[in-house]
Amino acid sequence: MDVKEEIIIVGAGIAGLATSLGLHRMGLSSIVLEASDKLRSSGFAFLTWTNAWKALDALGIGDTLRHQHIQLQGLVVASTATGLETGKMSFIARGKHGDHEVRCVERHLLMETLERELPRGTIRLNSKVVSIEEEVSGGRMKVLHLADGTTLKAKVLIGCDGVNSVVAKWLGLKRSSSSGRSGVRGIAEYLEGHGFKPEFLQYFGARFKSGFLPCDDKKMYWFFTWNPSPQEKEMEQDPIKMKQFVLSNLGKVPQQVSEVVERSDLSNLLSSHIRFRSPFNILFGNISKANVCVAGDALHPMTPDLGQGACSALEDGVILARCLGEALSTEGGGGGGEQERIEKGLKRFAEERRWRAFGLVGTAYVLGLLQQSDGPVVNFLTDKCLSGFMAGLFLNKADFDCGRLGVGL
């Protein structure tokens, strides 16, 4: 039996739930299809820069999350080879869109907050989309076939289903590319308090880069990225070997920093290959087509070097909800039938996001190459000349306001 829905969002990640909540705030209902049997909390935590807090405030959940995470005061950059500080930057600054705000947010707390704000029944777990097709009758609705045999029809289809997005594939976007790098993430808990300053500590050099950030007074999030050899790729699925590999390659970091990795439980380690979409595929590919579009990692998977993956997904959610909500409203939708207005709203979203995503993905990729390039000349230039410039890129790219959802919101 076919079930008709107004708006279907594929993927209950950050982009999917943010878009659904944004639509809810705009008075539009949606359902979110999630392939797994629970909300995805992999990754443990992520940096939320100023632009992310603008989006969280637009969604109405910013203050809830602020109260659970400490504000970071600045960034300290050091060399893995020498252990010496090569750059420092304060986050206590003002940009074009107001004061900067940077925190390290636990992913599960964000997901739980988003879920709590959505109407009951919005999220449907164990709902994996295996194929998409046009309505046989010649209508404009999209037909979704699920793994359990269910068939759904959507007036609007939004793909927030990650780097292997079935919706992005249907739109004709190319498959994401391997960056040639891998990453490990973890989180350490200190019941007695960790004692770290509210700073983002970053160490980088040939092949390896790591970062350490406090979420609150008792939890430290960390990441480690590198260019793996064929032999190293084989150990990525072994948490014990992976942890030892990280500890052996942190470089000259203080003992307090290496203890963060040592303290991390093996169940709190996640290893993955780092993928990204070609910036030119974003610029010239189909972000939207008729009543279908993509957002989040389905649109702009990027390397983690700017810390903007989750932040830009939150931006997507607010802007997509606003574009679609205004297009469908009687006041702002303009002329034309419902399907024409849907297409107009999604096209507007694509126009607003194309260049922003292009810049973020391209900058992150180049930044990662510079920070982990091998060779004495590149390493010297990175340590002596580029670290301050690269640190400044963080605040520059975070100085963005996605705007409010609508009047009074």
Side-chain angles (χ1 to χ4, degrees), residues 157-201:
L157 176 60
I158 301 170
C160 299
D161 45 340
V163 294
N164 297 314
S165 169
V166 65
V167 181
K169 182 179 179 180
W170 186 89
L171 284 170
L173 289 171
K174 295 180 181 178
R175 178 176 167 80
S176 59
S177 303
S178 171
S179 67
R181 298 161 57 199
S182 291
V184 184
R185 292 166 283 179
I187 197 162
E189 296 190 45
Y190 297 72
L191 296 180
E192 71 283 7
H194 51 65
F196 280 84
K197 294 180 180 179
E199 295 177 329
F200 175 12
L201 304 176

Side-chain angles (χ1 to χ4, degrees), residues 70 190 193-199 201 212 214 216-217 220 256-258 260:
I70 61 174
Y190 297 72
H194 51 65
F196 280 84
K197 294 180 180 179
E199 295 177 329
L201 304 176
F212 300 83
D216 53 28
D217 294 331
M220 287 291 296
Q256 183 190 23
V257 171
S258 61
V260 175

Side-chain angles (χ1 to χ4, degrees), residues 277-298:
R277 188 179 302 288
S278 164
F280 295 101
N281 190 213
I282 295 172
L283 200 59
F284 300 112
N286 285 328
I287 293 175
S288 72
K289 181 180 179 182
N291 55 345
V292 182
C293 76
V294 284
D297 280 347

Side-chain angles (χ1 to χ4, degrees), residues 189-334:
E189 296 190 45
Y190 297 72
L191 296 180
E192 71 283 7
H194 51 65
F196 280 84
K197 294 180 180 179
E199 295 177 329
F200 175 12
L201 304 176
Q202 189 175 49
Y203 300 86
F204 64 87
R207 288 192 66 214
F208 306 109
K209 183 176 75 169
S210 60
F212 300 83
L213 310 91
C215 299
D216 53 28
D217 294 331
K218 296 182 178 180
K219 291 182 182 177
M220 287 291 296
Y221 169 68
W222 61 271
F223 63 84
F224 179 89
T225 63
W226 82 105
N227 305 96
S229 66
Q231 294 76 22
E232 291 166 354
K233 288 181 181 179
E234 295 177 1
M235 70 176 180
E236 290 181 23
Q237 303 307 315
D238 187 328
I240 297 177
K241 291 182 179 180
M242 197 69 261
K243 185 175 183 178
Q244 188 55 51
F245 176 78
V246 173
L247 288 169
S248 300
N249 291 284
L250 284 176
K252 294 184 178 180
V253 302
Q255 183 179 355
Q256 183 190 23
V257 171
S258 61
E259 284 178 352
V260 175
V261 179
E262 291 175 350
R263 195 181 188 99
S264 301
D265 190 270
L266 292 177
S267 63
N268 286 338
L269 264 65
L270 178 68
S271 177
S272 61
H273 299 295
I274 298 173
R275 303 187 67 84
F276 72 104
R277 188 179 302 288
S278 164
F280 295 101
N281 190 213
I282 295 172
L283 200 59
F284 300 112
N286 285 328
I287 293 175
S288 72
K289 181 180 179 182
N291 55 345
V292 182
C293 76
V294 284
D297 280 347
L299 165 59
H300 47 61
M302 65 185 76
T303 63
D305 305 283
L306 275 177
Q308 279 291 339
C311 299
S312 56
L314 289 167
E315 291 178 13
D316 288 346
V318 172
I319 295 172
L320 178 49
R322 183 174 63 241
C323 289
L324 191 55
E326 290 179 352
L328 290 173
S329 71
T330 54
E331 293 84 3

Side-chain angles (χ1 to χ4, degrees), residues 10-28:
V10 183
I14 292 175
L17 295 192
T19 301
S20 184
L21 181 56
L23 291 168
H24 175 60
R25 302 292 195 219
M26 294 288 291
L28 297 173

Side-chain angles (χ1 to χ4, degrees), residues 38-111:
K38 59 183 178 180
L39 289 182
R40 291 171 284 162
S41 59
S42 61
F44 307 116
F46 60 93
L47 269 170
T48 48
W49 296 91
T50 312
N51 55 314
W53 289 106
K54 299 286 187 185
L56 291 168
D57 285 336
L59 293 170
I61 61 174
D63 285 342
T64 299
L65 292 164
R66 283 187 180 94
H67 295 153
Q68 297 171 300
H69 302 89
I70 61 174
Q71 184 167 355
L72 302 182
Q73 303 297 304
L75 167 71
V76 177
V77 181
S79 168
T80 58
T82 65
L84 298 176
E85 184 180 304
T86 60
K88 195 169 185 176
M89 179 181 64
S90 173
F91 292 155
I92 309 303
R94 188 170 181 83
K96 294 184 296 182
H97 299 287
D99 293 336
H100 280 286
E101 180 178 6
V102 186
R103 301 172 196 265
C104 184
V105 169
E106 290 187 73
R107 184 183 174 102
H108 78 93
L109 292 177
L110 170 62
M111 303 300 284

